[in-house]
Amino acid sequence: MKARHQLRDAVNLLYSRGCATAETYTRLVLECVRADDVSQAKRLQSHMDLHLFQPTKTFLHNRILQLYAKSGNLGDARDVFDKMPKKDVYSWNAMLSAYAKSGSVEELEAIFDQMPSRDLVSYNTVIAGATANGCWGKAFEVFVKMQEEGFEPSEHTFVSVLKACTRLLGFRLGKQIHGRVVVGNLEGNVFLWNALIDMYAKCGDIDRARWLFDWLVGKNAVSWNLIISGYLKNGQPEKCIDLFHEMQSSGLKPDQVTVSNILHAYFQSGNIVKARKVFDEIREKDKICWTTMIVGYAQNGREEDALILFGEMLLENVRPDSFTISSVVSSCAKLSSLYYGQVVHGKAVHMGVADQLLVSSALVDMYCKCGVTADAWVVFTLMPFRNVVSWNAMITGYAQNGKDLEALALYENMLQENIVPNNVTFIGVLSACVHANLIERGQKYFDSINEQSGVEPAMDHYACMVCLLGHSGYINKAVDLVKSMPHEPNSLIWSTLLSVCAMKGDIEHGEMAARHLFELEPLSAGPYIMLSNMYATCGRWKDVAYMRSLMKDRNVKKFAAYSWIEIDNEVHKFASEDRTHPEAKEIYEELNTLIRKLQETGFTPDTKLVLHDVGEEEKFESICYHSEKLALAFGLTKKPHGRIPIRIIKNIRVCGDCHEFMKLVSQATGRLIILRDSKRFHHFIDGHCSCKNCW
């Protein structure tokens, strides 16, 4: 800082005295370069222009050009360059460097083509600039041209070209470059060796990358990070962890990149406790470490921990970026936590990242998954730029929330905006057709998948069509579609067929679908339970007993049904007939009061849906105290008045009796009830549900 003050005082003194000598200008310019002080260099340049000083050699202007290029001041560099009476190859190279740093590859190429003569630095600058700015093909073109003009590639050349190979996944080209490195006896350069390790690892030959790593003398932190990252990308997290311990044993201190990779490795291997231990041991955590931990929690079903850690990150005054924010928003979406989602949205606005594509798309998805499509639409319409992910979030959100026609209209708008749909788009579109029972329109969209997106229909699309045909009563057509598929049907197809067969009571085809599922997923409880329920509906109790016996023999575990409700920023979880909640007495009193009131209006709990061979009294007890009813009763005890909707989440599909119950409660209380089950959202208001024809 002292040197900069002295430099500024010297330039001030120069302005008070008038024109200076070439030696004075040269000394001051060199001081500017040493201090990396662009502002004083510009003042010196203005002083020279003011006094019409023209140096006889290029040295002075070249130093100024070098400083401008280094700092990215492209306009100032161009101004000096254009005014230079003489230019040498150093002058041209400085301009190449300025354009390379600015990302202007076209201008970089134009300057390169205008050069009266070039040297090795010229070629290396263009190759490195093209590689850094994603023009990897151009980098190879210049690489070939330099050799045609008789220039021998240097270590810097090979490093840049290998980076281009890595990005292009050009394994064959990379091996050829490796051969050139060996022939040129350049294997002693650790930077070049690291580039080779990275190329082989990212092109999928992790064994060759490891061989190079093991032979490398003088490994640095980058070498370790590259091989650890390579194993991570190749799905071998255990090798990453082993290397991490070796690195520590070698005496080399892991850096933030190493730690981030190891956190990823632990999360990839499912060892969340070890990941947290490593994270807690880091003294100085940067943004990357915090974000890696937050994303890891979110991807491993620990969304609440992700939110808590995000709060800790803010308390530590670590500024999150758009990727961090989008990950936290996605966690809110998975939890259907509207309150925390709104808080994070406010934080994103305060930070100025709410309009960034990654964040705004996540916000659209979050509001839709919280059942608030109106807010999602506001975010969507205010987005300065939208990509296919943004459109998909809004289309799918509309479809999940019962706004099927809005979803289809939005899809048509998307096509008018020349956005190419992808697989996810058509899942949303076809789901909307299923919910709205639009058979012909759904078939039209299904048939257009290849034409619109350039890919063949995926399993998810066939599953949607099976669902659409089955829901509409065309089970035979659904079965024919499954049999005519170009690929072997997977568990998604068979489970979809089994689901529609259960809904329509088609045991014959349901048994066929279940048999396939028993082979594909022998330990999944869903098919056993669904087929058992179909038998129970028909009173075939011997078959029900057989299915239960089969589950026991195969050690198939039945998953529990739960419902969640968020009250005053705290999540409360309920199971069926649950009496463990501290306020269980008040909850059951409220629920029983609701049941009596509805019975007075003619409502009768549908005990036929209790698929157990027990008495009517037990069936009544069982159907009345399902988890979503308990969650609803708790919500009403805590929020008996007001216009705020009651939001409930259930991990499986809501049953028909609870669905009818919610409709009647919404009519009796005048409250909006939003229930998100494993299939979709149900918005209950004034005795109606947004799902229209689900039940």
Side-chain angles (χ1 to χ4, degrees), residues 212-224:
L212 286 168
F213 174 80
D214 288 340
W215 277 93
L216 175 59
V217 178
K219 301 177 182 71
N220 58 16
V222 175
S223 315
W224 287 93

Side-chain angles (χ1 to χ4, degrees), residues 42-56:
K42 291 173 74 171
R43 291 183 67 201
L44 276 174
Q45 181 191 338
S46 298
H47 193 273
M48 286 187 282
D49 291 343
L50 180 65
H51 294 281
L52 304 176
F53 174 80
Q54 285 289 352
T56 56

Side-chain angles (χ1 to χ4, degrees), residues 115-410:
M115 291 180 71
S117 63
R118 308 182 184 99
D119 61 8
L120 183 60
V121 174
S122 314
Y123 281 100
N124 282 346
T125 302
V126 175
I127 292 170
T131 300
N133 290 285
C135 298
W136 307 301
K138 176 58 65 178
F140 279 111
E141 284 181 28
V142 179
F143 176 64
V144 171
K145 187 174 183 178
M146 77 177 287
Q147 295 171 90
E148 290 174 348
E149 295 193 5
F151 289 94
E152 191 66 28
S154 68
E155 295 165 343
H156 295 291
T157 318
F158 285 129
V159 168
S160 295
V161 175
L162 282 169
K163 286 181 180 178
C165 290
T166 302
R167 298 306 298 266
L168 287 169
L169 300 181
F171 183 60
R172 184 177 297 177
L173 286 169
K175 289 181 71 174
Q176 291 175 2
I177 300 300
H178 188 185
R180 292 287 302 278
V181 169
V182 173
V183 170
N185 198 26
L186 299 172
E187 295 169 280
N189 185 298
V190 67
F191 299 104
L192 184 51
W193 203 283
N194 284 343
L196 285 166
I197 292 170
D198 192 39
M199 183 275 295
Y200 279 116
K202 286 180 178 169
C203 288
D205 193 346
I206 190 64
D207 293 333
R208 180 65 61 89
R210 181 60 184 266
W211 183 85
L212 286 168
F213 174 80
D214 288 340
W215 277 93
L216 175 59
V217 178
K219 301 177 182 71
N220 58 16
V222 175
S223 315
W224 287 93
N225 288 342
L226 289 172
I227 193 65
I228 289 172
S229 174
Y231 274 119
L232 189 65
K233 285 182 171 64
N234 283 272
Q236 299 183 49
E238 293 79 11
K239 293 281 181 114
C240 302
I241 296 164
D242 292 341
L243 280 165
F244 176 59
H245 296 311
E246 284 183 37
M247 181 182 184
Q248 290 175 307
S249 300
S250 73
L252 197 62
K253 185 179 179 181
D255 60 16
Q256 299 283 10
V257 176
T258 321
V259 172
S260 178
N261 281 328
I262 293 307
L263 290 176
H264 275 301
Y266 276 124
F267 279 121
Q268 199 176 95
S269 60
N271 201 331
I272 300 172
V273 175
K274 283 282 184 68
R276 184 59 193 248
K277 184 181 177 184
V278 170
F279 177 79
D280 289 339
E281 289 172 352
I282 306 168
R283 290 185 179 180
E284 295 182 6
K285 304 176 182 72
D286 67 356
K287 178 172 59 181
I288 295 173
C289 288
W290 284 97
T291 301
T292 302
M293 198 69 200
I294 289 168
V295 172
Y297 271 144
Q299 291 177 344
N300 283 269
R302 301 275 290 271
E303 291 83 9
E304 291 181 7
D305 289 326
L307 294 181
I308 292 169
L309 197 63
F310 178 66
E312 293 176 11
M313 179 182 184
L314 297 178
L315 289 174
E316 292 292 327
N317 294 318
V318 180
R319 181 181 173 85
D321 59 15
S322 58
F323 186 65
T324 321
I325 294 288
S326 66
S327 299
V328 176
V329 171
S330 296
S331 293
C332 296
K334 290 176 184 176
L335 292 170
S336 281
S337 179
L338 180 62
Y339 171 78
Y340 285 109
Q342 290 171 328
V343 169
V344 180
H345 187 179
K347 185 66 180 175
V349 171
H350 177 72
M351 291 173 52
V353 298
D355 288 338
Q356 292 189 18
L357 185 61
L358 198 63
V359 176
S360 52
S361 296
L363 286 168
V364 171
D365 182 59
M366 182 273 294
Y367 280 119
C368 285
K369 286 182 177 170
C370 289
V372 192
T373 53
D375 289 353
W377 178 248
V378 170
V379 175
F380 182 80
T381 54
L382 292 176
M383 290 175 69
F385 174 76
R386 307 183 193 101
N387 63 4
V388 66
V389 176
S390 322
W391 287 90
N392 287 348
M394 198 68 235
I395 291 170
T396 305
Y398 269 151
Q400 288 176 333
N401 283 276
K403 295 182 176 293
D404 309 312
L405 297 181
E406 289 90 336
L408 298 179
L410 196 61

Side-chain angles (χ1 to χ4, degrees), residues 402-420:
K403 295 182 176 293
D404 309 312
L405 297 181
E406 289 90 336
L408 298 179
L410 196 61
Y411 169 68
E412 299 296 343
N413 291 342
M414 176 183 176
L415 296 182
Q416 292 174 6
E417 294 284 337
N418 295 318
I419 304 293
V420 179

